[in-house]
């Protein structure tokens, strides 16, 4: 099934904080986008070349690749409301 | 006294109190205003870190003067205040003042490395956001994996980075997430 929203999340490594970010983002996205999204997680320490190619400048960074335009979000990704606002998904 | 005059008197009271607390060592100032029908109590609190009430304090620890300068220039004219340290040792000492909201820390430094500096900082401050400044190359990340396993929290910011990007990252950490 083709997902309408494609996200990539760039984190340092598997940590309790990164797990919390992933959990919160998945929940926020599910609440707002139902099953119309996919979230891929990339750990920069394992794949720095992917981060460089994606022009990631800091962690954590969330990139919305689809639908266009591509948007990058940096900052506190734990707060649901702030992230949804940055993504223009807040109701 | 009409409403506009009252507002001006009130504002003058508040501004005088803010000036007074800046110049003194007091932690708070109370203002009580009584009238026949109402009572207003205002408490002015000194910023706990001792700086200006509204400014956020950033510490940049890097042995490279050009990097330290770039952070200073990036936030010039903004509400953020940057202080710099040339070494891990100096940074650790400065951090003990507990007045910073954010730290940028170089990974590769002589004598006390970025890793060791971070370990020391985390002994007394587990909450302050620390962003390690480094090029994104796998060989640099080997030592970072060690401190991740120790449960030490930090984030990464890429080197090189320009002024606009520095300010954006600072705002995103200290204010709200930024989309670009």
């Amino acid at each position: 099934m083709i997902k309408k929203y494609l996200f990539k999340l760039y984190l340092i490594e598997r940590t309790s904080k990164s797990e919390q970010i992933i959990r919160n983002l998945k929940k926020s996205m599910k609440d707002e986008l139902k099953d119309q999204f996919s979230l891929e997680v990339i750990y920069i320490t394992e794949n720095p070349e992917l981060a460089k190619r994606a022009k990631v400048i800091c962690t954590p960074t969330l990139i919305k690749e689809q639908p266009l335009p591509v948007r990058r979000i940096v900052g506190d990704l734990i707060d649901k409301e702030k992230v949804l606002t940055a993504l223009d998904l807040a109701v | 006294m009409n409403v506009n005059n009252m507002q001006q008197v009130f504002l003058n009271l508040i501004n005088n109190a803010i000036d007074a607390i800046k110049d003194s060592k007091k932690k708070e100032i109370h203002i009580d205003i009584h009238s026949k029908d109402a009572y207003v109590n205002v408490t002015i609190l000194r910023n706990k870190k001792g700086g200006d009430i509204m400014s956020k304090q950033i510490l940049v620890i890097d042995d490279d003067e050009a990097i330290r300068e770039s952070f200073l220039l990036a936030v010039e004219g903004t509400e953020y205040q940057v202080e710099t340290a040339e070494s891990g040792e100096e940074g650790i000492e400065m951090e003990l003042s507990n007045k910073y909201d954010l730290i940028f820390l170089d990974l590769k430094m002589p004598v006390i490395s970025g890793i060791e500096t971070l370990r020391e900082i985390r002994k007394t401050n587990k909450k302050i956001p620390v962003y390690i400044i480094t090029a994104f190359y796998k060989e640099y990340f080997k030592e970072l994996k060690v401190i991740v396993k120790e449960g030490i929290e930090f984030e990464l910011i890429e080197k090189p980075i320009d002024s606009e990007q520095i300010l954006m990252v600072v705002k995103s950490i200290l204010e709200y997430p930024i989309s670009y």
Side-chain angles (χ1 to χ4, degrees):
Chain A
M1 181 185 176
I2 296 174
K3 307 285 186 180
K4 186 179 174 189
Y5 288 86
L6 299 180
F7 296 100
K8 283 188 178 164
L9 177 61
Y10 292 82
L11 300 168
I12 301 176
E13 253 272 10
R14 282 176 187 80
T15 63
S16 54
K17 182 184 171 188
S18 65
E19 295 298 315
Q20 188 185 3
I21 291 174
I22 294 167
R23 258 195 321 271
N24 284 12
L25 276 177
K26 277 186 174 171
K27 182 166 189 322
S28 303
M29 288 172 183
K30 202 167 179 182
D31 288 345
E32 296 300 321
L33 306 173
K34 310 300 176 206
D35 59 352
Q36 291 296 307
F37 75 96
S38 73
L39 176 66
E40 181 183 347
V41 179
I42 293 135
Y43 296 110
I44 290 187
T45 50
E46 291 168 17
N47 294 293
E49 63 286 349
L50 289 181
K52 286 172 78 68
R53 214 177 296 156
K55 297 182 183 160
V56 169
I57 60 169
C58 70
T59 60
T61 292
L62 177 67
I63 299 182
K64 177 180 72 71
E65 293 192 344
Q66 294 285 348
L68 294 175
V70 174
R71 302 297 295 173
R72 292 174 175 73
I73 296 103
V74 293
D76 175 10
L77 299 187
I78 287 184
D79 187 305
K80 171 188 172 177
E81 290 305 322
K82 290 179 180 174
V83 173
L84 291 178
T85 300
L87 285 169
D88 283 335
L89 292 176
V91 174
Chain B
M1 190 186 287
N2 66 35
V3 172
N4 285 338
N5 285 348
M6 275 169 55
Q7 282 176 336
Q8 194 55 52
V9 167
F10 192 71
L11 277 172
N12 287 344
L13 261 174
I14 301 293
N15 284 331
N16 288 341
I18 291 174
D19 286 339
I21 203 168
K22 272 183 182 178
D23 296 334
S24 78
K25 288 186 177 154
K26 288 185 179 176
K27 287 191 181 163
E28 56 189 59
I29 288 179
H30 297 272
I31 303 171
D32 293 321
I33 305 169
H34 296 262
S35 79
K36 181 168 63 104
D37 304 306
Y39 164 73
V40 177
N41 171 269
V42 178
T43 300
I44 308 286
L45 298 172
R46 171 184 274 284
N47 179 302
K48 65 177 177 179
K49 297 187 173 84
D52 286 347
I53 303 267
M54 300 302 291
S55 72
K56 300 267 173 88
Q57 310 276 330
I58 301 164
L59 175 60
V60 178
I61 307 171
D62 199 314
D63 62 316
D64 186 335
E65 186 181 357
I67 300 288
R68 298 195 303 272
E69 278 296 316
S70 69
F71 277 83
L72 282 165
L73 284 171
V75 304
E76 202 173 49
T78 72
E79 69 268 39
Y80 307 113
Q81 309 236 339
V82 166
E83 292 185 354
T84 62
E86 303 181 356
S87 67
E89 186 180 356
E90 189 183 359
I92 290 163
E93 193 162 328
M94 289 173 74
E95 200 287 323
L96 286 173
S97 64
N98 201 30
K99 67 175 183 174
Y100 302 105
D101 299 284
L102 170 59
I103 295 175
F104 290 100
L105 169 62
D106 185 26
L107 180 61
K108 302 279 182 197
M109 289 191 293
V111 187
I112 301 179
S113 69
I115 301 286
E116 277 310 312
T117 304
L118 178 56
R119 275 199 187 102
E120 282 304 309
I121 288 171
R122 285 294 182 227
K123 282 180 185 173
T124 52
N125 193 333
K126 297 205 186 309
K127 294 203 168 190
I128 187 168
V130 176
Y131 275 68
I132 291 182
I133 310 167
T134 180
F136 285 1
Y137 291 118
K138 212 162 188 171
E139 53 269 30
Y140 291 179
F141 291 157
K142 283 179 193 160
E143 44 194 313
L144 289 176
K145 284 181 176 244
V146 174
I147 51 169
V148 169
K149 281 200 174 109
E150 291 172 22
I152 293 176
E153 278 197 13
F154 64 95
E155 297 291 352
L156 294 174
I157 185 167
E158 191 182 22
K159 183 196 290 193
I161 188 168
D162 64 39
S163 293
E164 203 178 313
Q165 290 169 327
I166 289 172
L167 187 55
M168 181 183 66
V169 171
V170 165
K171 274 192 173 161
S172 76
I173 299 162
L174 296 179
E175 310 296 341
Y176 41 77
I178 290 182
S179 168
Y180 66 100

